[in-house]
Amino acid sequence: MSIKQQAHLKMLIAVLGVLDKFKALWQAIPAFLNGRNDLSAAIDAVNAEELKQAGITTGITENKRIARKAMCDSAIIVAGAIGAWADRQNNHELFNTVDFTAPDLMHRPEQECVTHCKAIYDAGLANLAALIVEKTLTQADLDDLSLKIKAFNALLTKPREAKALTKGATDHIPERLEAGDRVLERQLDRLMPRFQTSNADFYAAYQVARVIVNPGGGSGNGDDPNNPTNPPTPPTTPK
């Protein structure tokens, strides 16, 4: 959510807070109650989109990091067994295929990391009989690595998918804010004049809350009567 959108949302929340503070004045008026509830629902809708926008990728990225580490740790167990045996066989090509530490793999680009882990698995599978004799590798070790490669592969595209969902939430925020504005403009603003003289404190508090405050201070658009989210300052009531 942008800074301007946050300021817009704060305006809606401030208005709701004023309404609830002066609830005793309007709670017997069904139209006012409906307007208040519609405003609350609009705020909830904005908050829901913001949560989608902010929270989708965080959990997925962490899950992917955990899955990658598990894959690399498993690969290093297999690679260690192969590397030790390959060195004794003077098989330098095989040794180079598995010559990695866990940090080496973790710091490689994701797809390259998977490629190396798969190469380690293939090398282990090709030499499993000899390594079983050495008692340094088992089929269970390879099965574990295979499962972890598959688990990480399944997560590789998730952040991109999540970003698509986040974009959807980002695109929906303006219309959710507009829905809140619509409730104010077409319902609550039209019901407030009855309180201008009967309860000036409520009326004044509502008008103050109705102004979007820029992050740098001041109202978003001053007293621009063409801006529906910032209604013009009401004229002073003659005494």
Side-chain angles (χ1 to χ4, degrees):
M1 185 180 287
S2 70
I3 293 175
K4 287 185 177 180
Q5 288 172 335
Q6 289 174 4
H8 197 151
L9 177 60
K10 287 178 181 178
M11 180 274 289
L12 298 178
I13 294 172
V15 171
L16 184 65
V18 169
L19 295 179
D20 288 347
K21 180 179 179 180
F22 291 91
K23 183 177 180 179
L25 298 175
W26 54 261
Q27 62 183 345
I29 305 173
F32 219 110
L33 178 61
N34 290 336
R36 183 267 174 211
N37 290 340
D38 287 349
L39 176 61
S40 180
I43 291 170
D44 289 343
V46 176
N47 285 332
E49 298 296 348
E50 186 181 18
L51 283 174
K52 290 179 190 176
Q53 186 187 53
I56 289 174
T57 58
T58 303
I60 291 175
T61 300
E62 178 62 13
N63 287 342
K64 191 172 70 165
R65 185 194 67 79
I66 292 170
R68 182 176 182 177
K69 185 176 186 306
M71 176 183 69
C72 292
D73 288 346
S74 180
I76 291 308
I77 292 172
V78 176
I82 298 168
W85 180 76
D87 183 66
R88 289 196 302 276
Q89 304 301 314
N90 290 317
N91 189 336
H92 304 300
E93 182 179 355
L94 178 59
F95 182 87
N96 290 335
T97 299
V98 299
D99 186 20
F100 297 102
T101 65
D104 287 338
L105 292 173
M106 286 293 291
H107 289 107
R108 303 259 173 172
E110 290 178 343
Q111 194 56 60
E112 187 178 331
C113 176
V114 173
T115 299
H116 287 309
C117 288
K118 182 65 167 59
I120 290 170
Y121 171 83
D122 290 342
L125 190 62
N127 296 282
L128 181 59
L131 293 167
I132 287 176
V133 173
E134 292 280 310
K135 295 186 178 181
T136 56
L137 192 68
T138 66
Q139 182 64 54
D141 294 325
L142 290 179
D143 291 344
D144 180 65
L145 176 56
S146 177
L147 286 173
K148 286 172 179 174
I149 290 172
K150 289 176 182 177
F152 181 66
N153 266 327
L155 290 171
L156 265 178
T157 61
K158 291 297 182 182
R160 183 175 296 180
E161 294 169 10
K163 286 180 181 178
L165 293 174
T166 299
K167 184 180 184 304
T170 300
D171 292 344
H172 286 137
I173 285 175
E175 63 188 70
R176 303 292 187 247
L177 291 169
E178 288 172 9
D181 289 342
R182 184 181 178 87
V183 173
L184 295 178
E185 296 159 18
R186 292 173 174 259
Q187 296 183 50
L188 295 169
D189 287 354
R190 296 168 187 269
L191 297 172
M192 281 305 299
R194 68 164 54 239
F195 298 104
Q196 187 170 3
T197 55
S198 64
N199 198 298
D201 288 344
F202 177 32
Y203 183 79
Y206 180 90
Q207 297 303 324
V208 170
R210 272 291 271 120
V211 176
I212 296 176
V213 178
N214 279 337
S219 64
N221 292 278
D223 291 337
D224 181 0
N226 295 317
N227 180 357
T229 61
N230 286 287
T233 304
T236 304
T237 303
K239 294 183 180 180

